[in-house]
Amino acid sequence: EGAMTTDAAEVAVVVASHSRPGPIAQVLASVQAQKGVRLEVVVVDNKSARSDEVAEVVGRFENVRLIRLDQNLGFGRSVNRGVVATSA
């Protein structure tokens, strides 16, 4: 009693990036291939020489939000930024 049932679970996915557009494309394709899950996907790009490439890759995927940082904050801090930006 009192349990809420839905057709799909809601999951927030936060991906930290630094100069790795190829792996980001693979990660996003894998995430979006999931079935039965409502997803909120955020990519946090730590500033690098390849940030524009990362933005281009992210732009190919629907319903993925990109946060572009002005500097490389490192993995932990960038993930924390992404988590704060989700609605989950």
Side-chain angles (χ1 to χ4, degrees):
E1 181 180 358
M4 190 168 91
T5 59
T6 63
D7 292 337
E10 185 170 343
V11 176
V13 176
V14 176
V15 180
S17 169
H18 182 259
S19 195
R20 305 283 308 238
I24 290 296
Q26 293 173 331
V27 167
L28 295 178
S30 177
V31 167
Q32 289 197 337
Q34 302 307 305
K35 304 291 184 218
V37 180
R38 289 179 308 185
L39 295 170
E40 178 179 10
V41 183
V42 177
V43 174
V44 182
D45 179 55
N46 281 294
K47 182 75 173 173
S48 76
R50 299 185 75 187
S51 288
D52 289 339
E53 292 174 68
V54 170
E56 180 204 334
V57 167
V58 172
R60 291 186 226 150
F61 292 87
E62 291 184 23
N63 302 316
V64 177
R65 190 164 19 134
L66 175 63
I67 299 172
R68 294 181 81 161
L69 301 177
D70 294 336
Q71 60 182 325
N72 181 355
L73 297 181
F75 179 79
R77 290 175 65 195
S78 63
V79 169
N80 286 342
R81 286 275 179 100
V83 169
V84 168
T86 68
S87 62

